[in-house]
Each structure stands twice: as structure tokens, then as C-alpha cells.
Amino acid sequence: MAADPPPSPSSNAASPFFLHPSDNPGVVLVTQLLFGDNYHTWCRSMTMAISAKNKLGFVDGTITKPASTASLFSSWLHCNNMVISWLLNSISPEIAASVLYVTTAFEIWTDLKERFSQKNGPQIFQIQKSISSLSQGQLTVSAYFTRLKALWDDLLNYKPVPMCSCGAVTLLNSYVQQERILQFLMGLNESFASARAQILLMEPLPPLNKVFSLVLQEEPQREIFVPPPLTDAHAFVANSDSLRPVKTFPKKDRPICKHCGCTGDAGQDSDYPAG
């Protein structure tokens, strides 16, 4: 009796050649399309989405195109075209038109990387400039921290922390965390000066999330009324009052009695002394 043939990889849910019934060419994997200047954030989102579909090998080159006579060729072609459709749905129409006739998902992925991942210098400069100029202002502590963390994560895409097995990477991560804590504390409003001073006196500094939690606990106690700035009309009135001349009245000479020559009280203009 002949042995049963091995199951097809396309029917195995753990295989990269497997396609779920919900997978179709019209699926949009990410909400933000690639327009060029957002390549790094788009690339990260797409990498996670394609990895979740177990199709990362089709874009990073680890799953190569088999020979046309190989048993896997049909399954590879099916999955490759599916991934190409997902990529085209996730980039702007102008960019999609430039890669429409590329035959493999790996070639499209490589082409996009070569075109849009080279502008690291200006992007890093802009992100670091935004980090240095960001302050809490009218934002809540939570909103301010969220914006700052988004900039940190964006910067990490351009300047990833190197991975190694030595202890240097631990020291480097500690330095990055300390730098972020200082950036967060520097941007807080002056009403948090006391909490900031207490945190800076801690040795060693607590983790970043702990620092955020400590500052967040102080926020309800910092609702201090700040008087609104003077409007132009108010400023004009204030300036007018300060520049208004003071009225002065001439001093009256004290009257002199014509009869005896004595000096009388001011306001009395009589030819005879009182009494």
C-alpha cells in the first residue's frame, strides 16, 4: 500500500505559503500610506503587518523564487502576488505606478528602501529639533509625555540602538534613558519645579515610566491660577494712567490786613481782621 503524500505547505497554517480565506488582494494592511518622507514609520508598520501574516520572507528575501518546475512554484507565485497587492495598496498612487510592473515583492521592497531610506540626516535633524523645542505649555502631563515619546520612537527608527552580547549595550541603554528623563523634566512647566528637583536628587534616577508616574501624581496639585495677559486696550489704559499729568493748583498768598498789617488765613479777603 502506497504511503500518503505529504500535505501541501499551502494547507499548513504554520507555513508561509498558507493563505487564510480572509486574505485577498484588496486588503489594506496599514492605515498610513507611504508618501516618501514617512518611509521609516511606514516600513515599521508594514513589517509588523506582513510578519503577522507570516509573509515576511517574501519581502526580506529569505523565501526565494523556486524554479518554475518545482512543486512549490504555484504556491510561491500565489503568495508573492498577494504580498505585491498588499504593498501596492499601502503606498501612494504615484509611487505605486512606479513599481506596478515589478514581478516580485522582494524587488518592490528593496526598491522602496533604496529610494526613501537614504534621507536620514535631515530627518534626524528635524526630529531632534522638535524634541529640544517641545515643552509642556498648555498640554497636560500625559499629552506632553505622549508627544515626546512619539518623537523618541521616531528617532529610534533612524538611529537604532546597536545590538550586541557585551555589557556595552546595557550601559548605552541606561544613557539613553537618562537623557530622555532629563528632556522630559526640562520641558515641564515651572509649577513642577519642586517635583523636578526631588526627582533629580534621587540616586540613581528611577526609570522613565516611574518618573512620568511621579510627575503625573503631582499634576492635580498644580492647578494654579495664572492671570490672563493684558489686552492691548488694557495696556493702553494702564500706560495712559501712568503718563497722565498730575493737576496742580497755584498756591494762594495769605491775605494781609490793610488796617493792622497782620497776615490772615488763606481764602479770607477782607479789609478788616476777623473778630
Side-chain angles (χ1 to χ4, degrees):
M1 182 177 180
D4 294 334
S8 171
S10 59
S11 61
N12 181 7
S15 170
F17 295 98
F18 174 78
L19 287 173
H20 192 270
S22 63
D23 293 331
N24 63 81
V27 171
V28 179
L29 298 184
V30 295
T31 57
Q32 185 179 17
L33 300 182
L34 172 65
F35 288 96
D37 57 348
N38 63 332
Y39 171 78
H40 286 272
T41 53
W42 173 87
C43 179
R44 179 169 176 78
S45 299
M46 281 297 296
T47 299
M48 291 188 293
I50 294 176
S51 177
K53 294 285 189 181
N54 199 19
K55 299 293 183 291
L56 196 58
F58 289 89
V59 297
D60 64 11
T62 56
I63 298 179
T64 58
K65 179 180 179 180
S68 58
T69 56
S71 59
L72 285 178
F73 179 77
S74 177
S75 297
W76 176 90
L77 185 63
H78 191 188
C79 292
N80 175 72
N81 289 339
M82 187 70 71
V83 176
I84 287 178
S85 298
W86 294 341
L87 290 174
L88 294 177
N89 294 339
S90 303
I91 58 182
S92 66
E94 295 78 10
I95 298 176
S98 66
V99 294
L100 183 60
Y101 295 100
V102 179
T103 57
T104 68
F106 172 67
E107 290 176 316
I108 294 178
W109 189 260
T110 303
D111 180 89
L112 296 176
K113 180 179 180 180
E114 291 176 350
R115 274 198 278 169
F116 300 112
S117 68
Q118 302 302 317
K119 300 178 181 179
N120 288 1
Q123 294 291 342
I124 292 174
F125 172 82
Q126 188 61 44
I127 295 172
Q128 290 187 330
K129 182 179 179 181
S130 298
I131 291 174
S132 62
S133 62
L134 181 63
S135 59
Q136 181 186 354
Q138 300 298 320
L139 298 173
T140 64
V141 172
S142 180
Y144 162 60
F145 181 79
T146 300
R147 288 191 184 182
L148 198 54
K149 189 176 185 305
L151 290 171
W152 289 331
D153 292 343
D154 201 9
L155 183 62
L156 190 62
N157 286 326
Y158 291 92
K159 295 173 60 178
V161 177
M163 302 300 295
C164 66
S165 57
C166 65
V169 67
T170 302
L171 182 62
L172 181 58
N173 283 326
S174 176
Y175 172 77
V176 171
Q177 286 295 307
Q178 182 176 351
E179 184 180 24
R180 290 181 175 183
I181 290 172
L182 295 178
Q183 289 170 346
F184 169 65
L185 293 177
M186 284 189 295
L188 290 172
N189 292 339
E190 285 305 311
S191 58
F192 292 94
S194 176
R196 177 169 52 210
Q198 292 177 6
I199 293 173
L200 291 174
L201 289 175
M202 296 180 181
E203 185 64 35
L205 283 175
L208 177 61
N209 286 338
K210 179 62 176 179
V211 171
F212 166 67
S213 178
L214 292 173
V215 175
L216 191 63
Q217 293 174 14
E218 292 288 325
E219 188 171 30
Q221 307 174 25
R222 298 295 180 265
E223 296 179 355
I224 301 176
F225 172 76
V226 178
L230 291 176
T231 63
D232 293 340
H234 292 158
F236 176 76
V237 172
N239 292 335
S240 299
D241 290 341
S242 63
L243 297 177
R244 183 177 299 165
V246 178
K247 291 184 179 181
T248 59
F249 300 92
K251 184 177 180 181
K252 291 184 178 182
D253 294 334
R254 300 181 71 181
I256 300 175
C257 180
K258 295 179 181 180
H259 177 70
C260 63
C262 295
T263 302
D265 293 334
Q268 292 183 352
D269 189 10
S270 174
D271 291 340
Y272 303 94

